[in-house]
Amino acid sequence: MKIYRVNMTNLTFVEEEVPEEWKMLGGRGLTSAIVSKEVEPTCHPLGSKNKLVFAPGLLAGTMAGNSGRLSVGAKSPLTGGIKESNAGGTAAQRLAKLGVKALIVEGIPKGDKWYTLHIHKDGVEIKEENELLGKGNYEIIHTLTARYGENTGVITIGQAGEYKMSMANISVKDPKGHIRSAGRGGLGAVMGSKRIKFITLDDNDGAGITIQDKEKFKNAAQIFNKGLLSHPVSGNALPKYGTNVLMNILNEAGGLPTKNFRMGQFESAEKISGETMYDTIMSRKGDPTHGCHAGCIIRCSQTYNDKDNRYLTSGFEYETIWGFGAGCTVDDLDIIAHVDNICDDIGIDTIETAGSMMIAMEAGIVPWGDGHGIVKLLKDEIREGTYLGRILGNGASYAGQAFGITRIPTVKRQTMPAYDPRAVKGIGVTYATTPMGADHTAGYSVATNILKVGGHIDPLSKEGQVELSKNLQIATAAIDSAGLCVFTAFAIMDYEPVSHAVIDMINAQYGTNWTVNDWLNLGRSVLRMERNFNIEAGFSSKDDRLPEFFEEPVPPHNAIWDFSGEELDQVFEY
Amino acid sequence: MKIYRVNMTNLTFVEEEVPEEWKMLGGRGLTSAIVSKEVEPTCHPLGSKNKLVFAPGLLAGTMAGNSGRLSVGAKSPLTGGIKESNAGGTAAQRLAKLGVKALIVEGIPKGDKWYTLHIHKDGVEIKEENELLGKGNYEIIHTLTARYGENTGVITIGQAGEYKMSMANISVKDPKGHIRSAGRGGLGAVMGSKRIKFITLDDNDGAGITIQDKEKFKNAAQIFNKGLLSHPVSGNALPKYGTNVLMNILNEAGGLPTKNFRMGQFESAEKISGETMYDTIMSRKGDPTHGCHAGCIIRCSQTYNDKDNRYLTSGFEYETIWGFGAGCTVDDLDIIAHVDNICDDIGIDTIETAGSMMIAMEAGIVPWGDGHGIVKLLKDEIREGTYLGRILGNGASYAGQAFGITRIPTVKRQTMPAYDPRAVKGIGVTYATTPMGADHTAGYSVATNILKVGGHIDPLSKEGQVELSKNLQIATAAIDSAGLCVFTAFAIMDYEPVSHAVIDMINAQYGTNWTVNDWLNLGRSVLRMERNFNIEAGFSSKDDRLPEFFEEPVPPHNAIWDFSGEELDQVFEY
């Protein structure tokens, strides 16, 4: 394995050996290690001292199910802290097949030109790019597929990344030529600051990965894959309804944030639920289930068609549908699907965009419930980079300041996702304390609070939530480092043989003798590294808190956010 | 003396006794003490938990020269930390004459209505206001003078405060009916968040202040006043040329930040200098010297007329002329005067506005040197609260993010004033370390670095700068608490009898036995209080640093910013 390092200031490329300390890191563990080691924590995230790092996970390129997530890391222009965001698509496995453990992009070009990177077995070519500047992700992927063939991987930014908006994401072409995104934290702006419009990956004749004990790996992978498929969440609910299976569940639990976190239930939840979505997909000849990367066996993605049975969107997630739906009180799934498609094309994180739209509604720019108004803001303002587009394109905290709005549901300036922290207290602890800024995937306490995975902890009681969030944050950092989809966690948490299978796969591949605890220690060290980066960047414990408006009770349970700072800080005893 | 407390949530007023601990505080010392004690450091600056505090200084209402500054304090929407900003004008002395030691405004009204406060000897009346909403400060003062008579004091916000922009200031009517501003840190947005458009002050039949030993006070005041007038800076340079006497001096020293801090000299400095300004004022029948408040004997203000000898602006400061002039490479004093007038009318801090304009030029919205372009941005965008106006109206750091600009000359998100920190290193230490965010008035090391007041320390050498800034920050906090103009510091620093006269006046008024050191200890305790508030608000030592682009050498001396964090942190040993 090797490191590919690109310097955009000098437009140079070098191939490096993997240092000993990084050999047993991958995915988030590796991006966070590289950012921690090489990026000055106080640097400007869009300046020449920031670095953008892409890394497949420890198990990438193997037959382990759902092991093809690509981690992207940098100092975040949204939060100002360290950021890892991961996506499906076809890039991670291609990097693994090329034997590339990480791609590090540093520096900023002199002058005004834009570039692309082409990655192949002999290294990285840096080329000037003009044709696709100003274009959206769908056109880019379409054009590059025509230019280089179906089998070329693509990592790209839309217009938002070119504008260096803090909610710009990095998109990855998936097996169907659709879009997967490393959504959170504005990493697309970092790629834009380095003036790279897209990266193509050709894995022909790649050196590939080495597996020390193939037979052992195969056996473990079979146990792992079977475990994923036999768990009711990853084997049943997700493949059928996608992540939007959660809509009715959260509404029932009173934890569905409605109208910018004013209520915990949305009267029209049923209309935008996973069940309604499934029926709609089926009636319109869509595809209710497919994977976001080769080797995904959970297959929680889908193709959602419009009334005329034409493609509208895919990777249509619960958090997206929550944000533009319940969050903005829009009850029309077709409009939300259209919004999702536009977000993918412009290259903006749907959760942060939903946050901005809630602020636009607070400010009276469009009325509550006006899905067409959202479409207009996306197409005419954000995509065009107008002044209003730049206000909204920098996320909810930023937009709030423009209009003097104080009701802003963010932590570390990142918008909270689809679970009310007062009614699902475990996830509130994660929002407050993860180094990533409000992020459900960083320690998905919803699993245990609501889905009763890994036991059950009453979502409305404070008891046990800090410990729960801490353990899930550790496990998630470990899973992210393996390059596994976070939804493998359900089976890992509930079935002991599945967690052992992960360790067996790692040991079989690398010839190590890890225990489950070694793997979790990796998670712990990643969290400590990330938290330390944030402290060095200027964060304090005051940043590990929810905004003051969560003191308000949220119906129907009239739950309030009632954790003290001291209680929350116990998370950091990892 | 008494405290007037207004609660805008309930629209109620109470008069309170002054607690023992606040009796020997005034001005900044008192606003910072009240904010520290009563405002939750992590609260939203525009939310109901922030408080806006007005306080005259310890010597307000006496015959001490230049003792009529009004301190305004709150948590700043610009910096996120504690803020004190002070202004001349006629309000402080009226409050003193009413026996009001502080006016505390708390809460936020329900509903959408706007209000005014009318302050008189029996308390505060809260009235609804409609007529003057949306109006600028000049019209407000004109209308209120007509409505209530010449002798009514006015504290007001322009349109920017109504929009809750982070660079909105609070303006105070001066003896000529012109405008003085508590400029920095967005306190106008806090007043706007409480939906108070203006405050009027009627000091008729006020209880007044008590002076324990009138004879002793009179003698000390005479020494003090004489000292101010005999110092070459406050007795000579400032009355003649105003603060703009500094233009040629800083240009000569290579410390005049030009084109957003790219150079230390501006080729057209002479055209916008104090000398040119004086000649222009004289040739146009303006007034080269008057005071910003009754009892000001330094008289550094002036009336600057246009080509037709009509009023254009007053209180035309060096920092304003620097910012829109050298900072934006505009070489036309008439346009800069027009810009100053518009800023006063909209109610925006000229330094922060200049910072925003530099960013607008970096982003290519208007060309460098285009003064008319600045006028247009102020009138058509910021005054109108357009989307671009809201981007620019929230200050340079905010505007920078909108356009992905990384060259932003701010500390704690507040724009640096008119002295390059690389070429005048003492002021750089103050920018970095004052709890106020980049602010020259918080510890004016320029005095000793450039003007050779209080000794001389080479501006280009690191040696002695930390100690200098520390001592000046302490002295300034003490001076601000006395309610004295910061320009009294020149005589206080150079003439020992003048500093003793300050103490004698305080002792004569309050019957105390303070030494100079007791007064400086007050300054120390104010700084500690402020710094502690900021830490509790989430600041860390990483916030006490300059932006990374100051690593670039600045011509003509090719000086760089070369202080380590450890060196800077020694300031805090106050």
Side-chain angles (χ1 to χ4, degrees):
Chain A
M1 301 288 280
K2 57 207 171 190
I3 304 279
Y4 276 5
R5 187 184 294 269
V6 171
N7 183 311
M8 293 304 294
T9 306
N10 311 319
L11 302 177
T12 54
F13 158 76
V14 287
E15 183 179 315
E16 295 173 0
E17 275 181 39
V18 180
E20 198 55 40
E21 54 179 328
W22 292 350
K23 282 201 171 140
M24 283 308 293
L25 295 176
R28 173 174 168 188
L30 185 53
T31 63
S32 288
I34 293 172
V35 171
S36 288
K37 191 178 175 197
E38 300 196 357
V39 175
E40 255 181 53
T42 55
C43 78
H44 196 296
L46 303 180
S48 62
K49 294 182 177 179
N50 201 3
K51 302 192 183 190
L52 185 63
V53 184
F54 299 85
L58 282 171
L59 294 171
T62 71
M63 62 182 289
N66 291 68
S67 62
R69 304 287 294 186
L70 176 72
S71 284
V72 190
K75 175 167 173 170
S76 164
L78 183 76
T79 69
I82 198 168
K83 174 58 64 177
E84 184 267 359
S85 187
N86 61 67
T90 63
Q93 287 153 329
R94 284 184 213 282
L95 284 172
K97 201 181 154 199
L98 287 166
V100 175
K101 206 157 166 68
L103 167 67
I104 304 174
V105 183
E106 53 194 34
I108 282 187
K110 298 156 194 138
D112 290 325
K113 288 180 182 160
W114 281 79
Y115 300 88
T116 71
L117 305 183
H118 186 59
I119 298 178
H120 50 69
K121 70 178 173 49
D122 299 319
V124 181
E125 287 166 52
I126 307 167
K127 302 182 198 172
E128 232 188 282
E129 174 66 29
N130 293 301
E131 182 191 344
L132 290 172
L133 290 185
K135 304 298 185 191
N137 286 319
Y138 273 103
E139 182 173 342
I140 292 163
I141 288 174
H142 182 80
T143 305
L144 294 178
T145 300
R147 202 188 279 178
Y148 299 114
E150 282 294 344
N151 274 330
T152 297
V154 180
I155 299 171
T156 172
I157 56 172
Q159 294 94 349
E162 291 188 47
Y163 299 138
K164 295 182 264 185
M165 288 173 173
S166 299
M167 68 189 199
N169 62 27
I170 292 179
S171 292
V172 186
K173 178 180 148 184
D174 82 1
K176 295 206 160 193
H178 300 150
I179 287 165
R180 303 290 146 182
S181 304
R184 310 226 67 191
L187 296 172
V190 179
M191 190 158 150
S193 76
K194 303 196 175 302
R195 290 210 294 284
I196 296 170
K197 179 65 178 171
F198 59 81
I199 300 169
T200 50
L201 302 103
D202 170 5
D203 61 5
N204 276 320
D205 305 321
I209 55 164
T210 312
I211 292 178
Q212 303 287 340
D213 185 339
K214 288 183 185 165
E215 193 57 28
K216 182 177 170 186
F217 194 99
K218 192 175 154 191
N219 292 337
Q222 277 169 350
I223 294 167
F224 181 71
N225 294 358
K226 209 170 127 189
L228 300 187
L229 293 176
S230 62
H231 193 280
V233 176
S234 51
N236 215 334
L238 287 172
K240 182 162 184 187
Y241 298 116
T243 53
N244 199 20
V245 66
L246 289 160
M247 187 67 69
N248 278 333
I249 295 171
L250 267 293
N251 193 53
E252 185 66 28
L256 180 69
T258 300
K259 201 177 182 182
N260 191 14
F261 292 79
R262 281 181 177 78
M263 291 91 74
Q265 290 183 322
F266 180 41
E267 53 181 13
S268 303
E270 179 59 37
K271 290 174 71 178
I272 59 170
S273 67
E275 290 79 354
T276 301
M277 182 167 135
Y278 176 80
D279 293 343
T280 309
I281 289 171
M282 295 309 283
S283 74
R284 294 175 179 177
K285 304 189 168 57
D287 178 1
T289 180
H290 62 76
C292 73
H293 61 281
C296 164
I297 57 176
I298 298 179
R299 300 164 52 85
C300 73
S301 189
Q302 64 299 100
T303 302
Y304 184 97
N305 289 342
D306 68 10
K307 288 196 173 81
D308 303 318
N309 298 352
R310 286 176 313 205
Y311 176 82
L312 196 49
T313 200
S314 64
F316 196 24
E317 305 294 348
Y318 165 62
E319 287 76 13
T320 305
I321 303 169
W322 155 74
F324 299 110
C328 293
T329 67
V330 171
D331 64 1
D332 184 328
L333 204 50
D334 284 355
I335 294 183
I336 300 169
H338 186 40
V339 166
D340 183 46
N341 176 269
I342 302 169
C343 287
D344 284 350
D345 197 44
I346 300 175
I348 46 180
D349 176 33
T350 54
I351 297 170
E352 198 59 47
T353 305
S356 277
M357 294 301 131
M358 291 185 237
I359 299 299
M361 289 175 177
E362 295 284 353
I365 295 170
V366 292
W368 289 102
D370 182 7
H372 295 288
I374 294 175
V375 169
K376 235 176 115 53
L377 289 178
L378 295 178
K379 282 183 149 177
D380 299 346
E381 308 291 345
I382 296 179
R383 187 198 291 276
E384 299 300 322
T386 64
Y387 299 126
L388 176 56
R390 286 171 192 269
I391 289 172
L392 300 173
N394 277 294
S397 281
Y398 189 87
Q401 190 175 346
F403 302 111
I405 304 293
T406 57
R407 188 183 186 86
I408 308 177
T410 58
V411 178
K412 300 182 179 69
R413 300 179 70 81
Q414 183 168 285
T415 294
M416 279 178 205
Y419 315 87
D420 194 295
R422 294 160 290 190
V424 189
K425 290 188 194 290
I427 201 71
V429 176
T430 297
Y431 292 163
T433 58
T434 163
M436 294 295 143
D439 180 356
H440 60 298
T441 69
Y444 192 64
S445 311
V446 178
T448 309
N449 279 181
I450 302 290
L451 304 177
K452 303 187 181 171
V453 171
H456 181 232
I457 289 174
D458 177 4
L460 293 164
S461 159
K462 284 164 67 174
E463 209 174 323
Q465 306 291 7
V466 169
E467 191 67 16
L468 172 66
S469 175
K470 177 172 81 175
N471 290 334
L472 288 173
Q473 289 189 52
I474 293 166
T476 305
I479 288 170
D480 289 342
S481 301
L484 294 171
C485 165
V486 72
F487 296 150
T488 63
F490 300 118
I492 291 172
M493 285 162 80
D494 276 345
Y495 305 146
E496 217 182 304
V498 175
S499 57
H500 284 284
V502 174
I503 306 311
D504 289 343
M505 290 190 290
I506 292 173
N507 288 334
Q509 181 172 349
Y510 294 93
T512 46
N513 289 300
W514 280 17
T515 62
V516 170
N517 202 44
D518 291 324
W519 188 44
L520 293 177
N521 279 340
L522 166 61
R524 289 184 183 96
S525 75
V526 171
L527 289 172
R528 283 194 298 263
M529 203 155 56
E530 292 170 344
R531 182 164 157 76
N532 188 56
F533 183 96
N534 283 357
I535 290 167
E536 291 298 315
F539 283 62
S540 81
S541 65
K542 308 300 172 185
D543 296 296
D544 302 319
R545 306 289 181 259
L546 298 195
E548 67 187 65
F549 80 80
F550 287 100
E551 292 169 1
E552 285 174 21
V554 62
H557 301 298
N558 292 320
I560 59 165
W561 179 249
D562 48 4
F563 285 88
S564 71
E566 291 68 31
E567 288 167 334
L568 290 172
D569 289 347
Q570 289 170 17
V571 164
F572 305 120
E573 294 160 11
Y574 19 67
Chain B
M1 300 289 279
K2 58 209 170 189
I3 304 280
Y4 277 4
R5 188 184 293 269
V6 171
N7 182 312
M8 293 303 294
T9 307
N10 311 319
L11 303 176
T12 54
F13 158 76
V14 289
E15 183 180 315
E16 295 172 1
E17 276 181 36
V18 180
E20 198 56 41
E21 53 178 328
W22 292 350
K23 281 197 172 144
M24 283 310 291
L25 295 177
R28 171 176 168 187
L30 187 52
T31 63
S32 287
I34 293 172
V35 171
S36 288
K37 189 177 174 199
E38 300 195 359
V39 174
E40 253 180 56
T42 54
C43 77
H44 196 296
L46 303 179
S48 62
K49 293 181 177 180
N50 201 2
K51 301 192 183 190
L52 185 63
V53 184
F54 300 86
L58 281 171
L59 294 172
T62 71
M63 62 181 290
N66 293 68
S67 63
R69 302 287 295 185
L70 176 71
S71 284
V72 190
K75 175 169 174 169
S76 164
L78 183 75
T79 69
I82 198 167
K83 175 57 65 175
E84 184 267 358
S85 187
N86 61 68
T90 62
Q93 287 153 329
R94 284 184 213 283
L95 284 172
K97 199 178 156 201
L98 286 166
V100 175
K101 205 156 167 67
L103 167 67
I104 304 173
V105 183
E106 52 194 34
I108 283 188
K110 297 158 196 136
D112 291 324
K113 288 181 181 160
W114 281 78
Y115 299 89
T116 72
L117 305 183
H118 185 59
I119 298 178
H120 50 68
K121 69 177 174 49
D122 299 319
V124 182
E125 287 166 53
I126 307 167
K127 300 182 200 174
E128 232 187 284
E129 175 65 29
N130 294 300
E131 182 191 344
L132 289 172
L133 290 185
K135 304 298 185 192
N137 286 320
Y138 273 103
E139 181 172 343
I140 292 163
I141 288 174
H142 182 80
T143 305
L144 295 178
T145 300
R147 201 190 277 180
Y148 299 115
E150 282 293 344
N151 274 329
T152 297
V154 180
I155 300 170
T156 172
I157 56 171
Q159 294 94 348
E162 292 188 48
Y163 299 138
K164 295 182 264 186
M165 288 172 173
S166 299
M167 69 188 199
N169 63 24
I170 292 179
S171 293
V172 185
K173 177 180 149 183
D174 81 1
K176 295 207 161 191
H178 298 151
I179 287 165
R180 303 289 146 184
S181 302
R184 310 226 66 191
L187 295 172
V190 179
M191 190 157 150
S193 76
K194 303 197 173 304
R195 290 210 294 283
I196 296 170
K197 179 65 179 171
F198 59 81
I199 300 169
T200 50
L201 301 104
D202 170 5
D203 61 6
N204 276 320
D205 305 321
I209 55 163
T210 312
I211 291 178
Q212 303 287 339
D213 186 336
K214 289 185 184 161
E215 194 57 27
K216 182 177 168 188
F217 194 100
K218 194 176 154 192
N219 292 336
Q222 276 168 351
I223 295 168
F224 180 73
N225 295 357
K226 210 171 127 189
L228 300 188
L229 292 176
S230 62
H231 193 279
V233 177
S234 52
N236 217 334
L238 287 172
K240 183 162 185 189
Y241 298 116
T243 53
N244 199 22
V245 66
L246 289 160
M247 188 67 68
N248 279 334
I249 296 171
L250 266 295
N251 193 54
E252 186 64 31
L256 180 68
T258 300
K259 202 176 182 183
N260 191 16
F261 292 79
R262 280 182 177 77
M263 293 90 72
Q265 290 184 322
F266 180 40
E267 54 181 12
S268 304
E270 179 59 38
K271 290 175 73 177
I272 59 170
S273 69
E275 290 79 352
T276 301
M277 182 167 136
Y278 176 80
D279 293 343
T280 309
I281 289 172
M282 296 309 283
S283 74
R284 293 176 180 176
K285 305 188 167 60
D287 177 1
T289 180
H290 61 78
C292 73
H293 62 279
C296 164
I297 58 177
I298 298 178
R299 298 163 56 83
C300 72
S301 189
Q302 64 299 100
T303 302
Y304 184 97
N305 289 342
D306 67 12
K307 289 195 172 82
D308 303 318
N309 298 351
R310 285 175 314 203
Y311 175 82
L312 196 49
T313 200
S314 63
F316 195 26
E317 305 294 348
Y318 164 63
E319 286 75 14
T320 305
I321 302 169
W322 156 75
F324 299 111
C328 294
T329 66
V330 171
D331 64 1
D332 183 328
L333 204 50
D334 285 354
I335 293 183
I336 301 171
H338 186 41
V339 166
D340 184 47
N341 176 270
I342 301 169
C343 287
D344 284 350
D345 197 44
I346 299 175
I348 45 180
D349 176 32
T350 55
I351 298 170
E352 197 61 46
T353 305
S356 277
M357 293 302 131
M358 291 184 237
I359 299 298
M361 289 174 176
E362 295 284 354
I365 296 171
V366 293
W368 289 102
D370 182 7
H372 294 289
I374 294 175
V375 169
K376 235 175 114 55
L377 289 178
L378 295 178
K379 280 183 149 176
D380 299 345
E381 308 292 344
I382 296 179
R383 187 199 291 277
E384 299 300 321
T386 64
Y387 299 126
L388 176 56
R390 286 171 192 269
I391 289 172
L392 299 172
N394 278 294
S397 280
Y398 189 87
Q401 189 175 346
F403 302 111
I405 304 293
T406 57
R407 190 184 184 87
I408 308 176
T410 58
V411 179
K412 300 182 179 68
R413 300 179 69 83
Q414 185 169 284
T415 293
M416 279 178 204
Y419 314 87
D420 195 293
R422 292 160 291 189
V424 191
K425 290 187 193 291
I427 201 70
V429 176
T430 298
Y431 293 163
T433 59
T434 163
M436 294 295 143
D439 180 357
H440 61 298
T441 68
Y444 193 65
S445 312
V446 178
T448 309
N449 279 181
I450 303 290
L451 305 177
K452 302 187 182 173
V453 171
H456 181 231
I457 290 175
D458 177 4
L460 293 165
S461 159
K462 283 164 69 175
E463 208 175 324
Q465 306 291 6
V466 169
E467 191 67 15
L468 172 67
S469 175
K470 177 172 82 175
N471 290 335
L472 288 173
Q473 289 190 52
I474 292 166
T476 306
I479 288 171
D480 289 341
S481 301
L484 294 172
C485 166
V486 73
F487 296 149
T488 63
F490 300 117
I492 291 173
M493 285 162 79
D494 276 345
Y495 305 147
E496 215 182 305
V498 176
S499 58
H500 285 283
V502 174
I503 307 310
D504 289 344
M505 290 191 289
I506 291 172
N507 288 334
Q509 181 172 349
Y510 294 95
T512 45
N513 289 300
W514 280 17
T515 62
V516 170
N517 202 43
D518 290 324
W519 187 44
L520 294 178
N521 279 340
L522 167 62
R524 290 184 182 96
S525 76
V526 171
L527 289 172
R528 283 194 297 264
M529 202 155 56
E530 292 170 344
R531 182 162 157 78
N532 188 55
F533 182 96
N534 283 358
I535 290 168
E536 291 297 316
F539 283 62
S540 82
S541 64
K542 307 300 171 185
D543 297 296
D544 301 320
R545 306 289 181 258
L546 298 194
E548 66 187 64
F549 80 81
F550 286 99
E551 292 168 3
E552 285 173 23
V554 62
H557 301 297
N558 292 321
I560 58 164
W561 180 248
D562 48 4
F563 286 89
S564 71
E566 292 66 33
E567 288 167 335
L568 291 171
D569 290 347
Q570 288 170 18
V571 164
F572 306 122
E573 294 160 10
Y574 16 68

